């Protein structure tokens, strides 16, 4: 069953439950309300009759005089003498008088409904003035009259509920359609992503959480597109990087085999072949390391690291290159700085960044540590604007770069350690690498 049908069915079922419970509660309460309202009206009518009787008949006539008046009112009532426990007059058939007397309703003021045979009545009792006479006017309304009103009200309520249910179902359809339509469109866009048709992915209009999902899908498509392109670029660059030393090795090997070189050139060729083999080995090792860093979390063994000790290891290992390049390596370290990472791999990342800075520096490289932030900058020519967005991608390198994998490895290690690495322009004139770890 489709999602829209499921939602409509759920809304309809919920609506039916709510309407059923509401109808039952209203139907149960309406009779009590009608009885209370009828008793109030009977009391008002009775008080009005008593007022007329007191004003016009008590002073100048007998009970028979205002009994005729009461019979003319077309009301169901009794004139009851509480002192003699006797009904003096009645506008109702004698059978009701006997039935009420048997049940002792006249003497009992607590009963709300009087019952005689299969008939029930709502009553209201009003004393005539003065109260010492014990005369009481009792007005009655058949309960069937109220039940007729109740049923008529309930029929009208059913009509209202039916109209409301139809309107609600229609509104439910419109709302669920508005909810499901963006999801259906998103499904089509995901199908395009599945078929790698990234250029055909379109934005979907939506609101709320669906808008957030749509944005995530769109971002995922762009990221997958970028990843696919980077993978193609990676394989192209990798094949190029591997092809160059292989061609050099092949050329010298064939020349030596065919005795093209003399002894001096042959010795030079062998040295070149060894150099290119070492270069190949370095590229392959770094490619393997980068693949492991990207795919194997178990490669990381985080521990608490004193950053000052880590930087001292970097200084020791870069000393030969610093001497060769005649570069001054300055450092300013917060001795209390501590971070949580894989020490061996983080050392590799810092060495890659530092070696990169030394190779590109003119005369100076600065390493600064403040808290959980490590900054490595040089006074070289810096990184061109068009290269900055790709500087951490594989096989992207500057003029004096080596394999083009060092910064990619550094980024992978830093990010897997929960940190972030960024590149900016340095005040020294060259590049500035900022590595930030969680406190």
């Amino acid at each position: 069953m489709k999602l829209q049908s499921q939602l409509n069915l759920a809304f309809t079922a919920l609506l039916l439950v709510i309407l059923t419970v509401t109808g039952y509660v209203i139907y149960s309460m309406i009779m009590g309300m009608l009885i209370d309202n009828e008793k109030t009206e009977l009391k008002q009518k009775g008080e009005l009759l008593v007022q007329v009787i007191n004003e016009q008949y008590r002073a100048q006539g007998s009970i028979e005089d205002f009994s005729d008046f009461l019979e003319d009112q077309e009301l169901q009532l009794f004139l009851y003498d509480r002192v003699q426990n006797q009904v003096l007059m009645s506008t109702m058939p004698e059978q009701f008088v006997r039935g009420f007397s048997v049940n002792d309703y006249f003497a009992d003021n607590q009963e709300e409904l009087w019952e005689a045979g299969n008939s029930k009545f709502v009553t209201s009792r009003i004393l005539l003035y003065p109260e010492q006479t014990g005369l009481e006017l009792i007005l009655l309304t058949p309960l069937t009259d109220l039940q007729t009103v109740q049923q008529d009200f309930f029929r009208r309520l059913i009509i209202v509920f039916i109209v409301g249910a139809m309107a609600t179902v229609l509104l439910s359809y419109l709302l669920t359609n508005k909810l499901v339509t963006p999801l259906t469109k998103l499904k089509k866009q995901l199908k395009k992503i599945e078929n790698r048709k990234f250029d055909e992915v379109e934005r979907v209009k939506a609101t709320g959480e669906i808008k957030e999902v749509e944005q995530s899908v769109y971002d995922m498509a762009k990221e997958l597109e970028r990843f696919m392109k980077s993978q193609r670029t990676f394989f192209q660059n990798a094949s190029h990087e591997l092809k160059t030393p292989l061609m050099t090795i092949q050329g010298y090997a064939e020349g030596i085999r065919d005795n093209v070189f003399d002894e001096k050139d042959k010795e030079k060729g062998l040295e070149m072949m060894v150099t290119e083999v070492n270069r190949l080995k370095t590229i392959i090792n770094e490619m393997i390391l980068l693949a492991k860093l990207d795919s194997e979390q178990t490669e990381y063994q985080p521990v608490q690291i004193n950053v000052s000790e880590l930087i001292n290891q970097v200084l020791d290992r870069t000393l030969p290159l610093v001497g060769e390049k005649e570069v001054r390596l300055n450092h300013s370290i917060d001795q209390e700085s501590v971070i949580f990472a894989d020490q061996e791999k983080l050392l590799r990342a810092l060495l890659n960044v530092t070696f990169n800075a030394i190779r590109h520096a003119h005369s100076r490289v600065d390493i600064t540590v403040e808290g959980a932030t490590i900054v490595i900058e040089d006074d070289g020519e810096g990184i061109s604007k068009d290269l900055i967005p790709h500087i951490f991608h594989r096989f992207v390198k500057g003029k004096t770069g080596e394999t083009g994998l060092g910064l990619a490895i550094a980024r992978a290690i830093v990010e897997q350690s929960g940190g972030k690495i960024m590149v900016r322009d340095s005040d020294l004139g060259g590049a500035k690498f900022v590595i930030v770890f969680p406190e």
Side-chain angles (χ1 to χ4, degrees):
M1 186 181 294
K2 291 186 177 180
L3 177 60
Q4 186 171 6
S5 300
Q6 294 180 23
L7 291 174
N8 284 327
L9 185 61
F11 280 131
T12 304
L14 179 62
L15 175 65
L16 290 175
V17 171
I18 293 175
L19 291 181
T20 302
V21 173
T22 303
Y24 176 77
V25 172
I26 292 177
Y27 187 80
S28 302
M29 294 176 59
I30 192 67
M31 180 54 71
M33 295 171 61
L34 289 173
I35 291 174
D36 292 340
N37 185 63
E38 186 64 22
K39 290 182 68 174
T40 301
E41 291 186 5
L42 289 176
K43 183 178 181 180
Q44 292 174 351
K45 291 179 181 178
E47 290 175 346
L48 183 60
L49 291 174
V50 169
Q51 182 179 356
V52 173
I53 291 171
N54 287 333
E55 290 177 355
Q56 297 184 12
Y57 294 98
R58 288 301 299 273
Q60 55 186 359
S62 63
I63 292 178
E64 288 75 9
D65 295 329
F66 61 80
S67 294
D68 295 336
F69 166 75
L70 292 176
E71 289 179 354
D72 294 338
Q73 301 305 311
E74 297 182 354
L75 295 172
Q76 293 175 316
L77 55 83
F78 296 107
L79 184 62
Y80 174 66
D81 188 338
R82 299 175 65 177
V83 176
Q84 299 180 14
N85 190 23
Q86 180 181 0
V87 177
L88 302 180
M89 64 85 56
S90 170
T91 61
M92 299 181 67
E94 186 64 25
Q95 63 187 27
F96 290 105
V97 177
R98 290 195 300 269
F100 294 152
S101 298
V102 169
N103 292 324
D104 202 24
Y105 288 143
F106 293 109
D108 187 1
N109 290 323
Q110 303 301 319
E111 290 291 336
E112 294 185 356
L113 295 178
W114 289 15
E115 185 175 352
N118 296 324
S119 301
K120 292 184 178 181
F121 296 85
V122 178
T123 62
S124 180
R125 308 173 69 146
I126 303 95
L127 287 172
L128 273 69
Y129 184 82
E131 296 180 1
Q132 290 80 2
T133 63
L135 294 179
E136 188 175 19
L137 190 62
I138 304 174
L139 283 77
L140 304 92
T141 298
L143 190 63
T144 52
D145 293 353
L146 300 184
Q147 289 174 339
T148 301
V149 175
Q150 179 191 33
Q151 292 170 2
D152 182 64
F153 175 82
F154 191 70
R155 282 193 295 270
R156 295 172 184 269
L157 186 65
I158 290 296
I159 295 173
V160 172
F161 278 177
I162 292 174
V163 174
M166 294 173 62
T168 304
V169 170
L170 177 61
L171 182 62
S172 169
Y173 174 80
L174 295 176
L175 291 176
T176 54
N177 184 63
K178 184 178 179 181
L179 175 68
V180 172
T181 298
L183 294 176
T184 304
K185 292 180 179 179
L186 276 177
K187 178 182 176 182
K188 294 180 180 178
Q189 304 309 313
L190 286 169
K191 205 67 180 177
K192 294 177 182 178
I193 296 174
E194 179 184 351
N195 296 326
R196 300 183 183 182
K197 297 178 180 178
F198 301 111
D199 295 336
E200 299 179 13
V201 175
E202 301 173 352
R203 300 304 298 265
V204 175
K205 291 184 179 180
T207 57
E209 286 79 2
I210 298 181
K211 179 63 179 177
E212 296 177 4
V213 174
E214 186 272 340
Q215 183 65 49
S216 298
V217 169
Y218 184 77
D219 293 342
M220 178 184 69
K222 292 302 178 184
E223 182 63 22
L224 284 174
E225 183 180 18
R226 186 201 65 77
F227 177 76
M228 296 296 292
K229 288 181 178 178
S230 67
Q231 287 294 94
R232 286 195 294 269
T233 303
F234 168 74
F235 286 116
Q236 291 171 358
N237 293 338
S239 62
H240 174 74
E241 292 293 331
L242 296 174
K243 183 179 179 180
T244 301
L246 284 173
M247 289 180 63
T248 302
I249 294 170
Q250 181 183 9
Y252 277 107
E254 290 177 351
I256 294 172
R257 183 195 62 187
D258 298 335
N259 294 317
V260 174
F261 303 120
D262 56 20
E263 288 298 324
K264 183 178 180 181
D265 290 335
K266 185 184 295 185
E267 190 69 26
K268 181 181 178 182
L270 291 173
E271 290 291 335
M272 184 60 67
M273 289 171 64
V274 171
T275 300
E276 292 301 312
V277 167
N278 289 331
R279 183 184 171 195
L280 270 176
K281 183 180 178 181
T282 301
I283 294 174
I284 292 172
N285 287 338
E286 291 192 343
M287 289 174 61
I288 294 172
L289 173 61
L290 191 55
K292 287 183 177 181
L293 293 174
D294 287 341
S295 61
E296 298 182 15
Q297 288 289 337
T298 54
E299 287 288 313
Y300 291 84
Q301 298 178 357
V303 295
Q304 184 172 292
I305 303 172
N306 187 302
V307 182
S308 63
E309 295 180 2
L310 189 65
I311 297 301
N312 288 331
Q313 295 179 36
V314 172
L315 297 176
D316 293 339
R317 285 165 174 75
T318 57
L319 188 59
L321 185 61
V322 168
E324 179 184 342
K325 295 289 185 177
E326 296 182 352
V327 171
R328 186 173 72 257
L329 183 57
N330 303 317
H331 58 278
S332 174
I333 305 172
D334 180 0
Q335 299 295 326
E336 302 299 324
S337 295
V338 175
I339 58 177
F340 196 71
D342 187 309
Q343 182 165 349
E344 180 181 348
K345 291 181 175 56
L346 184 55
L347 176 60
R348 174 67 179 269
L350 294 178
L351 285 173
N352 285 356
V353 177
T354 307
F355 281 138
N356 183 78
I358 294 172
R359 283 194 299 269
H360 291 85
H362 292 318
S363 61
R364 175 182 174 185
V365 173
D366 289 356
I367 300 177
T368 306
V369 178
E370 292 183 3
T373 301
I374 302 173
V375 178
I376 302 173
E377 53 188 328
D378 62 77
D379 63 349
E381 296 179 358
I383 303 172
S384 60
K385 297 295 183 182
D386 57 338
L387 193 60
I388 287 179
H390 314 287
I391 193 64
F392 295 108
H393 294 172
R394 301 168 185 181
F395 295 110
V396 175
K397 57 184 178 181
K399 296 178 181 179
T400 59
E402 293 185 339
T403 63
L405 295 172
L407 292 180
I409 292 172
R411 183 191 68 172
I413 292 173
V414 170
E415 290 182 351
Q416 290 283 17
S417 301
K420 186 176 182 181
I421 183 169
M422 300 159 285
V423 62
R424 301 170 183 167
D425 291 330
S426 172
D427 294 336
L428 302 179
K432 178 180 182 180
F433 288 88
V434 181
I435 305 173
V436 182
F437 290 95
E439 291 288 346

